[in-house]
Every structure is written in structure tokens, then in C-alpha cells.
Amino acid sequence: MTRKAWLKTFPKPQANKAVHALQLAWSELASNYKTDFNRETREPRLTLVLATYLRDVISIRLKLLGHWGAEDVKAKVDFSSGKIIEQIRTDIEYLWNDHTQNLCIVFEFKKLDQKNRSHKHYYGENGLLRFVTGDYSLKQPLAFMAAVVLDDRHSCVTALRQALQHASTSLCAICQNKGDFLHTPSNLFPGIADFDTEHARDPAKAPPHGTIHVSHMFLEFGYPP
């Protein structure tokens, strides 16, 4: 299967519904200041509140049939001894399937400001690289990076784009036009994701076409910093 061929069988309508639901849930929760859901709140708490709101409020309202999970723990296990080798905890997952298709979208959340440290946290081993050299979304063709924007959106996104370009080699990025691997606008989620990236993976971790497609969305609070 080629990189383009997987799009023909990918359940895009269900994926669009899930991504739209997440964006809607965030906009409602972050519209005003909340004592336990704000810029200072730690990422795991933000994602747990968001996933619960998605499951208990938004999914019911939109009649979504998939399942939302937060802080889901998976493990690598040596079954001969029963030893847990490694534990993997994802921020938010959306799971859906019918008799012909299945969908698993992992959303990895990272706080983002204009500082270089923030950029490295976004694309490093605890961020985007989890979908490239790490063990997130194994065999899956699609994943999401969700940046929680702490400062001016335009400045944050511009600085991150530049940082990603400099890190393209370590990210195993698949370049398109003139060496640029940031696909703008998003191929799959225009209007929701600002841009997409595509990354080569080890065959043991990749889908049949060998790459993972990552969409990048930027979430803001509805009141000034």
C-alpha cells in the first residue's frame, strides 16, 4: 500500500467527527477562567478533564459512537516471565470501529510558548518523536499533536514551525515542496489542524505504507494571558 492509497480506506468521516468534537470541547471548557482548568494547570489534568467532558457531554450531544480515553496505560510485557518492561501512557485516545474498519487516534498534548525549551519539549522524545521513534500509535497511519498555546498564537506557531524545520532530520520527516515537510494547509483536517507532517517509521512500528501522518492543532484559552 502506498502513502496515498491508505487515504482511500481511512475512515475519514469518523476521524473528522472526533477531531471536531475535541476542538469543540476545548473551546467550551477554555472559554473562561476556571480554577482547575487554566494555563497553569498541569497537562495530565487538562487532558483528563477534557476527555471526561468529551465522553460525558460532547459525545452524547453529537451522538458519537466511539470511545474517549485519557491517560490510558499500555505496557510492553515479557510474557515468559510476566515482567513489565515498559509502560506507555497516552494523553487522549479516540477509538471507533465497525465490521469493516477501525480507528484509533492518539492526541498528544504539549504546552507551547515562544521559548526554545517549549519547542524541544513539543518535538522531542516526550512529544512528536513518540510517534516516530517511540511506541505511540504503533501500526497506525495517523496521530495528532495538540499544542496548548500560552502566549500570542501567531508568534508561538511561527517559532514552532521554524524549530520543526531545523529538527526535520531527527524527526525522519518526509519532505515535499523544496525541502519543506510542513504540509500547509492540513491535508486531512483543514480548518482544524494548522499543518501536517509525515514521518518514516521503523517497519516494526509503521503501517504498511511505512509512514505516519501527524496533524498539528493549536488550542487557545478564550481570555487574555
Side-chain angles (χ1 to χ4, degrees):
M1 180 183 291
T2 65
R3 282 182 282 164
K4 293 183 179 180
W6 73 267
L7 285 170
K8 296 180 180 179
T9 59
F10 184 74
K12 188 176 179 179
Q14 294 299 330
N16 270 315
K17 290 178 182 179
V19 175
H20 169 71
L22 187 141
Q23 184 186 54
L24 177 62
W26 177 271
S27 66
E28 292 184 5
L29 282 170
S31 62
N32 53 57
Y33 179 84
K34 294 177 174 58
T35 57
D36 293 294
F37 192 93
N38 57 66
R39 288 179 175 85
E40 301 300 322
T41 306
R42 293 178 61 246
E43 289 166 15
R45 291 188 175 272
L46 288 175
T47 55
L48 182 57
V49 171
L50 180 60
T52 303
Y53 191 73
L54 278 161
R55 185 181 62 242
D56 295 351
V57 180
I58 298 297
S59 283
I60 295 173
R61 185 195 307 169
L62 301 182
K63 299 179 180 179
L64 295 181
L65 300 178
H67 169 73
W68 291 99
E71 298 297 309
D72 185 50
V73 178
K74 294 180 174 62
K76 284 185 176 181
V77 177
D78 178 359
F79 293 114
S80 65
S81 65
K83 180 180 179 181
I84 297 175
I85 302 171
E86 182 182 0
Q87 294 188 48
I88 302 165
R89 187 185 300 271
T90 56
D91 287 345
I92 292 182
E93 285 186 350
Y94 180 73
L95 306 171
W96 170 90
N97 69 279
D98 63 14
H99 67 285
T100 61
Q101 295 176 307
N102 67 78
L103 174 68
C104 175
I105 303 179
V106 173
F107 297 84
E108 172 68 11
F109 283 71
K110 285 287 175 283
K111 288 185 176 181
L112 181 68
D113 56 30
Q114 301 177 48
K115 299 176 182 177
N116 189 45
R117 180 180 178 183
S118 169
H119 307 151
K120 290 182 177 179
H121 193 52
Y122 183 93
Y123 68 71
E125 291 183 356
N126 292 320
L128 180 56
L129 272 178
R130 286 173 164 173
F131 298 113
V132 184
T133 58
D135 292 319
Y136 275 28
S137 297
L138 295 179
K139 302 293 185 180
Q140 294 295 325
L142 173 72
F144 252 89
M145 288 294 298
V148 178
V149 179
L150 302 180
D151 296 324
D152 174 70
R153 177 194 174 101
H154 176 74
S155 298
C156 286
V157 175
T158 300
L160 177 65
R161 290 174 65 97
Q162 293 172 350
L164 289 173
Q165 289 286 9
H166 289 308
S168 61
T169 301
S170 63
L171 292 171
C172 304
I174 305 297
C175 295
Q176 296 293 326
N177 299 323
K178 299 180 180 179
D180 189 357
F181 79 102
L182 305 179
H183 308 257
T184 308
S186 169
N187 294 328
L188 286 179
F189 306 101
I192 296 179
D194 281 49
F195 56 86
D196 300 334
T197 56
E198 190 174 3
H199 310 266
R201 296 194 86 174
D202 183 281
K205 298 180 179 183
H209 57 277
T211 66
I212 186 167
H213 184 112
V214 181
S215 291
H216 301 252
M217 67 191 305
F218 297 87
L219 303 171
E220 298 179 87
F221 289 91
Y223 51 92

